[in-house]
Amino acid sequence: MSGSTQTLSTSIGKKLIMSLTGLFLCLFLIVHLSGNFQLFKDDSGLAFNDYSHFMTHFPPIKVVSYLLYLTIIGHSIYALILTIKNRKARPVNYAMAPKSPSIWSSRNMGILGSFLLLFIVIHMGNFWFSYHKDEWFKNHSGPKMPFKEYRTDLKTGKLVSAKQLPQGEYEYAKYVDVNAQQEITIAKDLQAQVIFSFSSPLYVLFYVIAMGSLSFHLLHGFQSSWQTMGMNHRKYKPIVNQIGIWLFAVIIPIGFAAMPIVYYFTKR
Amino acid sequence: MSGNMNLTLKVWRQKDVKTPGKMVTYPAKDISPDMSFLEMLDVVNEGLIHKGEDPIYFDHDCREGICGSCSLYINGRPHGPKQGITSCQLHMRSFYDGQTIIIEPWRAAAFPVVKDLATDRSAFDRIQHAGGFVSINTGGVPDANEIPIPKPIADEAFNSATCIQCGACVAACKNASAMLFVSAKVSQLALLPQGQPERYQRVQSMVAQMDEEGFGNCTNTAACEAECPKEIKLTNIARMNGDFFTAKFFKSDEVHA
């Protein structure tokens, strides 16, 4: 065990931690994006609210989500440790600003990352904390996140009605009304919070800028993490580079940025 | 002579390792475009000596790009604006009449300034001493083709071995990391059959010494690769990391009982 901790405290070992935590966060982005695409379903938020309940209450997912929070913290702390060390490695700066050619994003991972951390804090405060606070602080005086009741026809599978329930004590429920031949779902309406948040143009702009930062962060970060792990293959490293560019720096940030933009223009 | 240039030099002057230095401006008059950069500095120094001033101190030896002594950070780039050459191979035709040229030493905690533009790069020597060698018994000269080595491997090892230990990679790196240098030295031996017995010990010892010397951490910006006068590739770093993790996580040091 002491051998492996010694390994992780070397310069390359610390970079391995950055690389592995970074890749785990990349993997999370794929899950997060594909899940949240349910926001685009035209079903008054049934699928999304159902999914939100599942993601916050299914124990294995909960375990992974706490692992994810630790990963975010670990990635940030190690970035800070490495940056401090890197600054110490050059105590006197050059009089002439360095002009060595390198990609802009690769030189500004710290700034991009810090902005993304700020984004994550605000983003989690707005959705994650708002979603959980009614359960954590039962007696808080502020407004509670409303619940919505959905009725789906069992035969056709189509949504019959969706109505917001008056303020009160509710719990997630899914049951069948045999007489009406309808499936009834009562779920916390997180989509309402999404609509409310993305009705603010400043908030939408903040999200879009954050996704721009994410794009540049991953443009360097994804391929760099494989380089750190020692991936050096004539055929496969270029494939990794292309995945980094197209999936992580283009498709995923655009997918996320589409949510606030589409909601701002259609659901306001 | 026609075509000669008048330049303004801003040079880092520092008395010794303890005294803080500063930028000093010197005119460089009547400089031929055919001079090398170091010859230009020789001319300026001659003028300074005639005036009874302390000449600008800079490292140089072979002046043909193979010794790795010259180490000038010229206008924001190690070894100046051209690619794939050292400071001594840089010619004054790469500059224009009336230009201001800023000349600084390598900047890194591991490379303390000895005087003016010269830095103490013995940190590199200590990394080499930690493992940048192969242990072989001397004896009769072995036959050149005794051990077959595939051509691509031999070429790759040779490319890594062209590193002249100048330190431009450290100077170019925003983190003052020595990864390109260390990885080239690890690679040239790790690729060849003669380097195999010590391969996994070597990479661990050299990385440990690199960390000890206080170099920064690699962020894969590739500025080192762009500035290396011998065009050492970034793939060396991946190869070294691969060997390092293999040594640390997948190979045991001792024989299983």
Side-chain angles (χ1 to χ4, degrees), chain B residues 137-152:
Chain B
N137 295 324
T138 53
V141 181
D143 183 72
N145 295 316
E146 193 179 16
I147 307 166
I149 301 166
K151 175 85 166 103

Side-chain angles (χ1 to χ4, degrees), chain A residues 81-113:
Chain A
I81 293 171
L82 286 164
T83 307
I84 291 169
K85 179 81 181 56
N86 292 346
R87 291 277 161 86
K88 275 193 195 150
R90 176 161 295 143
V92 182
N93 272 321
Y94 289 111
M96 178 107 180
K99 283 193 175 155
S100 300
S102 59
I103 295 166
W104 181 86
S105 57
S106 75
R107 280 178 277 123
N108 293 283
M109 291 298 276
I111 296 162
L112 293 165

Side-chain angles (χ1 to χ4, degrees), chain B residues 64-82:
Chain B
E64 54 182 12
I66 53 172
C67 74
S69 292
C70 57
S71 47
L72 302 177
Y73 196 82
I74 303 158
N75 280 351
R77 295 186 67 174
H79 297 307
K82 295 273 153 135

